[in-house]
Amino acid sequence: MSSSSQAAAPRRTWVPDCPADSPFSLANIPFGIIRTRNDNTPRPAIAIGNHVLDLRALTRSSSFPFAEIFSSTSSDNNANDDNDDAELKQALSSPTLNAFAALGRPVHRRVRTALQALLETDTPHATALRDNAALREEALLPKTTVRMNLPMSIGDYTDFYAGYHHAYAVGCMFRGPENALQPNYTHLPVGYHGRASSIVVSGTPISRPKGQILLDPAATGPKKPVTGPCRRLDFELELGCLISRPNAMGEAIKVDDADEGHIFGYVLLNDWSARDIQSWEYVPLGPFNSKNFGSTLSPWVVLADALEPFRCHGVENPVVRNEEETGGLQDYLREKVASTSVPGARGGMFDIRLEVDFITPQGDTTTIGKTSASQLMWSFPQMIAHHTLGGCPLRTGDLLGSGTISGPGAREKGSLLEMTEGGKKEIMLAGMEVRTFLKDGDAIVLRGDCGAGVEYGRVGFGECVGRIQTGLP
Amino acid sequence: MSSSSQAAAPRRTWVPDCPADSPFSLANIPFGIIRTRNDNTPRPAIAIGNHVLDLRALTRSSSFPFAEIFSSTSSDNNANDDNDDAELKQALSSPTLNAFAALGRPVHRRVRTALQALLETDTPHATALRDNAALREEALLPKTTVRMNLPMSIGDYTDFYAGYHHAYAVGCMFRGPENALQPNYTHLPVGYHGRASSIVVSGTPISRPKGQILLDPAATGPKKPVTGPCRRLDFELELGCLISRPNAMGEAIKVDDADEGHIFGYVLLNDWSARDIQSWEYVPLGPFNSKNFGSTLSPWVVLADALEPFRCHGVENPVVRNEEETGGLQDYLREKVASTSVPGARGGMFDIRLEVDFITPQGDTTTIGKTSASQLMWSFPQMIAHHTLGGCPLRTGDLLGSGTISGPGAREKGSLLEMTEGGKKEIMLAGMEVRTFLKDGDAIVLRGDCGAGVEYGRVGFGECVGRIQTGLP
C-alpha cells in the first residue's frame, strides 16, 4: 500500500461541499447501496463529504476511462486483464455489495486507492471525473437526494459478547462482582447466532415488540407470565464486521489470516433488546424474541483498509495476564497484529470513538454515552478464528456483531440497562425528560469516528438511527 | 379439498417400480431439487416410488398440456390465467423450491392434486404423461440416477426445544427431576437462532469439529480448557418445517393462520451436536460452535397437505392441565386445530413414526431409537406464532427445527446423550460394537413414516443420512 507512506501534506478533494470535519473525507471512501428518485434500482456508491458517487454510473459511461483508472493505480501485483475489469464492473453495478466484497481485500484496496486519486485535487487521474461535466452531473449526487439500502445481503448474523466492561457490568447485576464473568468468558469469544431477517438499515422505524413477560420475577409460587408490549426496551451500541471471502465448510480460518482474507469492512450496529422478554425466555438456550424484532445497521461500510491507521490494543485479557494459573490463551486465538499497510500501527482493535445520542419525541438531543471500540477484549480476527474453529462456513455478507461496547466509567455505557443500573436509576435528558428505558417516539443515534486521521482527514461511520414506534395492538 | 373425501378404494400409479410399501406413494408427492449426470442444473422434481419426475421437463415440453393439467384439476377457486401459468412454470424451473413455496398453500394443493391425477392409473389425465413416450423418457427418471440438492435456500434457521421428553430427560441429567423443566418451558416454545450456512443435504459427510473443551468440569480451581477434536459427538432426531409465505416485519402470525398461510412442508433434520463443546460454551448465550459445524436435512419436502390425514394430539402441556394454578396457556398460543381437508383429523401434531439407525464403519446396522413426532409438546403453528409475536419476519425457505424428539421409554430416545445417560452407559450395536458417542466412520440414518395412510399408500420422508469423517488436523 502506498498512500499513507507518502508525504504527510494535507490532501483535499475537488468535490464541492466537503467540510474539513466530514466523516467521509478522502481518508475514508466508505461503500454503500443507494437508490434515487429517478432510478430506484439499488446500486453501489461511495460517500465523499456531502456527496455520494454512483459507481454504477462510472461502469456505464462511455466517456470514463474505467480500465485505466481502476487498474493503473493498482498497488497489488495481480495482472489486471479484461476479465478482471468485467468482473469489477459487474460487482459495481450489483444491487448489494456482496459481489464487490467477494472480490477480496486486494481488490478493495486497489479500488479505494483509485477512487482517492480520482477525487483528490491535482492528481493526474482527477480529470477523468472532475473535468467531465456530464458524467459528474450524473454520478456525483448530493447526499440528501439518495436513499440508502442495507449494504449487503446478510446470510447469517452472529452476535458476540466481546465488550469486557459490558459483560462485567451485566454480570455484576445478575450474579454479583465475584461471579460477574462466567468461567468461559476469558477463554473464548462468547457469541450466539442472531436473526438475519430482521436486520434493517439506519432510519427504519422499530416497532415496540410484544412478548411474554414475567412481571414479578421474585414472586414465590408458580410463574405466571403475561403477554404484552415490552416495557424495558433498550438499545445496544455495537460495531459490526462484514465478511468478504467465504471459507469452506470444515475448514477453520487462522486468526492471522482473518483480516486480510475475510474481512470486508465495518458498520455501526444497534442490537435493540427487550430486557423483560429476555430475562424470562433466555434460559437455557439464549436470547430469542428479545433480539429478533429488529437490528439496525449504519448504511456506509468503512473498508478494513480505512481503519488500518487507527489500530490499537484492546482491554487486556486476564487469561493472558495470568498465564500460569489459567493455562493462557488457546493457540488458535493468539494473534500477532501489525498493520500490513500502515507502519507502526499495531493491535487487533481500532480506536473508534463511539457516541450515543438520545432524541426525545420533542426533538431534544442528549449525548448519553461516549466510549471507544478499544474497550473490546476480543478482536474480530479472534471472533472469526473461534467461529470457524469447528468448521462453520462464513459466507460473503455475513455479519458479526461485537456485542455491546461500554467503557468502565459511568458515562461510557453502551446500553440503558447499564446506564440505569437495571432500570433502578433514571437518566436525565434535555427537555426536562427522564428515562429508564425507551418510550414510543424516542430515537437513538449511534456515531463512530476515528477523528482526524493521517494526512487525508477523518474516518467516520456516519449515523445509525432508529426511532421506536408503537407496536401493533 | 377433494382427494381424501372420495371413495376409499386403493389407488395405484401407472409408474413402474413403485412398491406397495414405498414411502413415496401417490399419497405423498414430496418435492425436491435434483441434478443429473446429463444436466447438472438444479431443478424441481417429485418422488414417486423408485422414480423421480423432473418438473422442469414438464414446463418445457411442447407436447405436454401444462395449463390443462395444472389448472383444470384445480380445487381452489382462484382464476387460473396465463400469468399464473407463467409464474408456476417459472417456479417449477427454479434451482430451489423457494419460488414454488412462495406461491402459497392453495397452489401447492392444486399442483399436488394434479400430479396425483397425472400419475394415477386410469384417470383421464394420466394419458398426458403415461402415453407420451418421449416425455416419459426425459422426465421420469430412476431415483438412482439423480443427485439431490438442499430443497430450499434457507435464510434463517431456528431450532426449538419442543420435544417434552427430551427436555425433561436432559433437564434431569443437569438439574435433577425436581427442576428438570425450566419455569418458562411450559409457557412458551423455547427456541434459539441456529446457523443457516452449515445446513447440508442428506449424504453430505460431517467433519468432526474441533473446539474448546473442559476435560474435567468438576475440578476445583481455575478452569483450564483445551482445544481439540470433539469427544462427545452426538446426533439429534428432529422434524423440520419449511416456511412458504413470509410475514411482514412487525406483524405477528396468528396461531390459527400459520398452517394454511405459512407452512410449506416438512423434512427430517439431524442437528448434530458436540456435547463437550456445548457444555463449556453455552452459558449464558446458548449453543454456538457445538451446533454450527453441520445440520443435515432430508432432501424430499413432504407437503403440509400430505400430512393432513395423520393429525394427532401431542404431549399434553402441564400448563393446560393445571390452568388455575399456572394462569393457563397465553392466548396467542391457543390453537383450534381441525384439518381443513381431512374430516375428523384433529390436533396440532402429526403421527409420524420416527426411527434412528446406527451404521458402524463395518456396515452393521442397528435401529437404536423409535419414537413419534406426536411426542412434541408444542406444534409448529405455536412455534410460528411465538417466533413472530414480537414482529420477527419469517421468509420463504426459513427452517424451523422441532428440537430433539424422544419418547418416554428407554428405546425411544432421539439422541445418544439420552440413550447413554450422558455418556455413562454404552449402547450395544450389531457387529459386537458398543458406543457412547459417535466415532469417525459411524453413520446415522433418520427415517420418518406415516405408514399406510388413507387410500393412496404410505407417506414417508425417505432417509436423512450423515457419516462422520475425521476433521482437519
Side-chain angles (χ1 to χ4, degrees):
Chain A
M1 251 295 275
S2 54
S3 47
S4 54
S5 55
Q6 290 169 5
R11 292 169 157 197
R12 295 215 175 75
T13 177
W14 54 260
V15 176
D17 197 15
C18 188
D21 64 348
S22 170
F24 304 136
S25 72
L26 262 189
N28 195 346
I29 314 290
F31 283 66
I33 295 290
I34 62 164
R35 289 174 294 139
T36 51
R37 182 189 292 263
N38 294 335
D39 185 348
N40 203 38
T41 310
R43 54 200 190 268
I46 56 109
I48 177 79
N50 291 324
H51 282 81
V52 308
L53 177 63
D54 180 340
L55 299 174
R56 194 189 57 176
L58 301 188
T59 70
R60 290 182 173 185
S61 165
S62 56
S63 61
F64 181 76
F66 188 90
E68 187 190 329
I69 296 294
F70 288 110
S71 54
S72 63
T73 60
S74 170
S75 57
D76 57 339
N77 290 324
N78 291 346
N80 186 270
D81 61 12
D82 290 350
N83 274 347
D84 284 355
D85 274 352
E87 203 174 42
L88 180 58
K89 277 191 176 179
Q90 188 160 16
L92 295 180
S93 312
S94 298
T96 68
L97 293 176
N98 292 53
F100 180 60
L103 295 176
R105 189 148 163 193
V107 176
H108 311 152
R109 183 174 293 144
R110 190 178 81 215
V111 171
R112 175 168 168 270
T113 307
L115 287 165
Q116 288 174 322
L118 184 70
L119 298 172
E120 187 177 350
T121 312
D122 299 329
T123 61
H125 279 118
T127 57
L129 181 63
R130 187 190 65 201
D131 301 346
N132 184 338
L135 180 59
R136 227 176 47 224
E137 177 77 16
E138 191 195 339
L140 199 60
L141 310 168
K143 217 157 140 266
T144 51
T145 66
V146 304
R147 299 184 61 180
M148 304 300 299
N149 270 22
L150 269 186
M152 304 192 79
S153 169
I154 297 166
D156 276 293
Y157 161 37
T158 301
D159 201 21
F160 285 90
Y161 197 50
Y164 177 86
H165 300 290
H166 171 74
Y168 183 78
V170 172
C172 285
M173 260 179 242
F174 291 131
R175 290 176 298 274
E178 288 300 301
N179 302 300
L181 295 179
Q182 301 284 353
N184 60 12
Y185 186 82
T186 50
H187 287 281
L188 56 85
V190 169
Y192 71 105
H193 304 117
R195 180 80 192 176
S197 72
S198 52
I199 298 172
V200 296
V201 73
S202 176
T204 309
I206 297 293
S207 297
R208 179 179 299 275
K210 280 174 77 171
Q212 269 198 36
I213 298 165
L214 201 61
L215 290 180
D216 185 1
T220 54
K223 307 291 185 194
K224 290 191 186 185
V226 298
T227 301
C230 167
R231 296 158 197 224
R232 291 163 67 92
L233 188 56
D234 200 354
F235 73 92
E236 288 192 337
L237 166 66
E238 301 197 15
L239 190 63
C241 174
L242 290 158
I243 297 298
S244 57
R245 287 192 157 150
N247 63 310
M249 185 159 160
E251 290 185 12
I253 296 173
K254 292 200 172 72
V255 65
D256 287 328
D257 294 343
D259 200 29
E260 180 74 9
H262 301 277
I263 294 182
F264 176 51
Y266 299 88
V267 289
L268 299 174
L269 166 62
N270 184 340
D271 192 41
W272 305 96
S273 298
R275 301 297 180 195
D276 41 5
I277 298 172
Q278 187 173 358
S279 59
W280 171 233
E281 75 175 1
Y282 90 108
V283 175
L285 298 180
F288 184 55
N289 279 355
S290 55
K291 300 280 191 171
N292 67 21
F293 60 93
S295 312
T296 305
L297 277 198
S298 59
W300 293 105
V301 181
V302 175
L303 296 192
D305 270 300
L307 288 180
E308 283 295 332
F310 309 103
R311 283 197 175 278
C312 67
H313 293 286
V315 173
E316 192 187 10
N317 189 331
V319 154
V320 177
R321 209 165 44 221
N322 203 356
E323 190 143 342
E324 196 149 326
E325 194 184 330
T326 62
L329 206 57
Q330 300 292 301
D331 280 345
Y332 74 96
L333 293 169
R334 292 176 193 235
E335 53 183 350
K336 43 172 187 285
V337 182
S339 174
T340 48
S341 56
V342 179
R346 293 187 60 82
M349 310 293 167
F350 301 106
D351 188 16
I352 307 167
R353 290 194 304 274
L354 300 165
E355 291 189 351
V356 183
D357 280 357
F358 192 118
I359 308 180
T360 63
Q362 290 72 39
D364 293 307
T365 299
T366 314
T367 300
I368 57 173
K370 289 186 184 192
T371 182
S372 162
S374 64
Q375 298 293 2
L376 295 172
M377 192 187 77
W378 297 106
S379 72
F380 281 104
Q382 287 175 319
M383 297 181 219
I384 288 172
H386 181 67
H387 202 321
T388 61
L389 176 65
C392 180
L394 302 183
R395 296 178 293 190
T396 301
D398 282 353
L399 173 67
L400 311 183
S402 62
T404 307
I405 305 176
S406 296
R411 294 174 178 277
E412 301 172 22
K413 302 305 185 188
S415 70
L416 290 171
L417 183 71
E418 291 160 88
M419 292 178 192
T420 66
E421 294 171 15
K424 285 190 287 219
K425 231 178 79 178
E426 287 178 327
I427 59 165
M428 307 294 156
L429 302 174
M432 304 293 286
E433 294 270 335
V434 295
R435 289 290 186 280
T436 46
F437 292 98
L438 294 165
K439 290 192 173 172
D440 291 353
D442 288 346
I444 292 291
V445 183
L446 311 182
R447 279 194 311 275
D449 193 352
C450 298
V454 289
E455 78 267 47
Y456 281 81
R458 286 172 62 198
V459 174
F461 287 77
E463 296 189 336
C464 179
V465 188
R467 187 178 293 278
I468 304 303
Q469 63 185 11
T470 314
L472 291 180
Chain B
M1 252 294 273
S2 53
S3 48
S4 54
S5 55
Q6 290 170 5
R11 292 170 157 194
R12 295 214 174 76
T13 178
W14 53 260
V15 176
D17 196 14
C18 188
D21 65 345
S22 170
F24 304 138
S25 72
L26 262 188
N28 195 346
I29 315 290
F31 282 67
I33 295 290
I34 62 164
R35 289 174 294 139
T36 53
R37 182 189 292 263
N38 295 336
D39 185 348
N40 202 38
T41 311
R43 54 200 190 270
I46 58 111
I48 178 79
N50 291 324
H51 284 80
V52 308
L53 177 62
D54 180 339
L55 298 174
R56 192 189 58 175
L58 301 189
T59 70
R60 291 182 172 186
S61 164
S62 57
S63 61
F64 181 75
F66 187 91
E68 189 190 327
I69 296 294
F70 288 109
S71 57
S72 64
T73 59
S74 168
S75 57
D76 57 338
N77 290 322
N78 292 345
N80 184 268
D81 60 13
D82 290 351
N83 274 347
D84 285 355
D85 274 352
E87 204 175 40
L88 180 59
K89 276 190 176 179
Q90 187 159 17
L92 296 180
S93 312
S94 298
T96 68
L97 293 175
N98 291 54
F100 179 60
L103 295 176
R105 189 148 163 194
V107 176
H108 312 153
R109 184 174 292 144
R110 190 178 81 218
V111 171
R112 175 169 168 269
T113 307
L115 286 165
Q116 288 174 321
L118 185 70
L119 298 172
E120 186 178 349
T121 313
D122 299 329
T123 61
H125 279 118
T127 56
L129 181 62
R130 186 191 65 202
D131 302 345
N132 184 339
L135 180 58
R136 227 175 46 223
E137 177 78 14
E138 190 195 340
L140 198 61
L141 309 168
K143 219 157 138 266
T144 51
T145 65
V146 303
R147 299 184 61 179
M148 304 300 300
N149 269 24
L150 269 186
M152 304 190 80
S153 168
I154 298 167
D156 275 294
Y157 160 39
T158 302
D159 201 20
F160 285 89
Y161 197 49
Y164 177 86
H165 300 290
H166 170 74
Y168 183 78
V170 172
C172 285
M173 260 178 242
F174 291 132
R175 291 176 300 273
E178 287 300 300
N179 302 302
L181 295 179
Q182 301 284 353
N184 60 12
Y185 187 81
T186 50
H187 287 282
L188 56 83
V190 168
Y192 71 105
H193 303 118
R195 180 79 192 176
S197 72
S198 53
I199 298 173
V200 295
V201 73
S202 176
T204 310
I206 296 293
S207 297
R208 179 179 300 274
K210 280 174 77 171
Q212 269 198 36
I213 297 166
L214 201 60
L215 290 180
D216 186 1
T220 54
K223 306 291 184 193
K224 290 191 186 184
V226 299
T227 300
C230 167
R231 297 158 197 224
R232 291 163 67 91
L233 187 55
D234 200 355
F235 72 92
E236 289 192 335
L237 166 66
E238 301 197 17
L239 190 63
C241 173
L242 290 158
I243 297 298
S244 57
R245 286 191 157 150
N247 63 308
M249 185 158 159
E251 290 186 10
I253 296 172
K254 292 201 173 73
V255 65
D256 287 327
D257 294 343
D259 200 30
E260 180 74 10
H262 301 278
I263 294 181
F264 176 50
Y266 299 88
V267 288
L268 299 174
L269 166 61
N270 184 342
D271 193 40
W272 305 95
S273 298
R275 301 299 180 193
D276 41 6
I277 298 171
Q278 186 174 358
S279 60
W280 171 233
E281 77 175 358
Y282 91 107
V283 176
L285 297 180
F288 184 54
N289 278 355
S290 55
K291 299 280 190 171
N292 67 21
F293 61 93
S295 314
T296 306
L297 277 198
S298 59
W300 293 105
V301 181
V302 175
L303 295 192
D305 271 300
L307 288 180
E308 283 294 332
F310 309 103
R311 283 196 175 279
C312 67
H313 294 285
V315 173
E316 193 187 9
N317 188 331
V319 153
V320 176
R321 208 165 45 220
N322 203 356
E323 189 143 343
E324 197 150 323
E325 194 184 329
T326 62
L329 206 58
Q330 300 293 299
D331 280 345
Y332 74 95
L333 293 169
R334 293 177 194 233
E335 53 182 350
K336 42 173 189 285
V337 182
S339 173
T340 49
S341 56
V342 179
R346 292 186 61 81
M349 309 296 166
F350 300 106
D351 188 17
I352 306 167
R353 290 194 304 273
L354 300 165
E355 291 189 351
V356 183
D357 281 357
F358 192 118
I359 308 180
T360 63
Q362 291 70 39
D364 293 306
T365 300
T366 313
T367 300
I368 57 173
K370 290 187 184 191
T371 181
S372 161
S374 64
Q375 299 292 2
L376 295 171
M377 193 187 77
W378 296 104
S379 72
F380 280 104
Q382 287 175 319
M383 296 180 218
I384 289 171
H386 181 67
H387 202 320
T388 62
L389 176 65
C392 179
L394 302 182
R395 295 179 293 190
T396 300
D398 282 353
L399 173 68
L400 311 182
S402 62
T404 308
I405 306 176
S406 296
R411 296 175 175 276
E412 300 172 22
K413 302 304 186 188
S415 70
L416 289 171
L417 184 71
E418 292 160 87
M419 292 178 193
T420 66
E421 293 171 15
K424 286 191 286 220
K425 230 178 80 177
E426 288 178 327
I427 58 165
M428 306 295 155
L429 301 175
M432 304 294 286
E433 294 271 334
V434 293
R435 289 290 186 281
T436 46
F437 292 99
L438 293 166
K439 291 193 172 170
D440 291 353
D442 289 346
I444 293 290
V445 183
L446 311 182
R447 280 194 310 276
D449 192 353
C450 298
V454 289
E455 78 269 45
Y456 281 81
R458 286 171 62 198
V459 174
F461 287 76
E463 296 189 336
C464 179
V465 188
R467 186 178 295 277
I468 303 303
Q469 65 184 11
T470 313
L472 291 179

